[in-house]
Amino acid sequence: MNFLSLFVLIPLLMMLGLWIARDMKQIRTVAVIGSTILLALSVYTLVEFLAERAAGNTATDSRMWYAPLNIHYAVGVDGVSVAMLLLSSIIVFAGVFASWKINPLPKEYFLWFMLLSTGVFGFFISVDLFTMFM
């Protein structure tokens, strides 16, 4: 599995953790830990992208999903998408703290927020049209 897939996997795991969470402290803990991991992963991705670009390599990975229709799971980053990943992770991190004291339905709010971040990160790491829509 490519480490770029972690940008989609971590918010999905956060949604599972939020679904299991019982009180406000657990909800906040899951949101802070997950958003911190996403921020650290995006900084790591930026550093690795700059190192790979300096070496002349590309940062894409493609796996076969469904061979009869030639459908691949293709993820990768370029200069714009790596910047957008970093910006999105900063926004998710800040969004967790900006909605720290949300009162009506905090669990549901953070579940929808993580679903939104899953889509945003998935959009920025996809390099083909089918992967983007999935």
Side-chain angles (χ1 to χ4, degrees):
M1 179 174 86
N2 190 345
F3 79 94
L4 289 174
S5 298
L6 291 175
F7 280 106
V8 174
L9 184 63
I10 289 171
L12 290 176
L13 291 175
M14 287 173 65
M15 289 176 65
L16 179 67
L18 288 167
W19 184 66
I20 294 171
R22 299 278 182 230
D23 60 351
M24 193 62 178
K25 184 178 179 184
Q26 291 175 347
I27 292 170
R28 288 177 179 163
T29 302
V30 168
V32 168
I33 289 173
S35 63
T36 304
I37 291 171
L38 284 170
L39 184 60
L41 186 63
S42 66
V43 170
Y44 172 76
T45 303
L46 176 66
V47 170
E48 284 297 310
F49 172 76
L50 292 175
E52 290 292 319
R53 190 180 71 174
N57 299 328
T58 60
T60 60
D61 185 31
S62 179
R63 305 269 187 232
M64 180 62 71
W65 261 3
Y66 188 66
L69 295 178
N70 197 24
I71 296 174
H72 294 266
Y73 172 72
V75 294
V77 291
D78 59 0
V80 173
S81 63
V82 76
M84 295 308 287
L85 282 174
L86 181 62
L87 179 64
S88 298
S89 64
I90 291 170
I91 290 171
V92 167
F93 185 76
V96 166
F97 290 104
S99 54
W100 194 255
K101 293 192 184 268
I102 193 163
N103 224 355
L105 305 171
K107 186 176 189 175
E108 290 79 3
Y109 171 81
F110 281 110
L111 281 168
W112 284 110
F113 187 59
M114 289 308 119
L115 183 65
L116 176 69
S117 66
T118 301
V120 168
F121 288 125
F123 177 78
F124 288 131
I125 66 168
S126 63
V127 293
D128 70 339
L129 194 60
F130 189 80
T131 305
M132 182 184 71
F133 281 108
M134 291 306 287

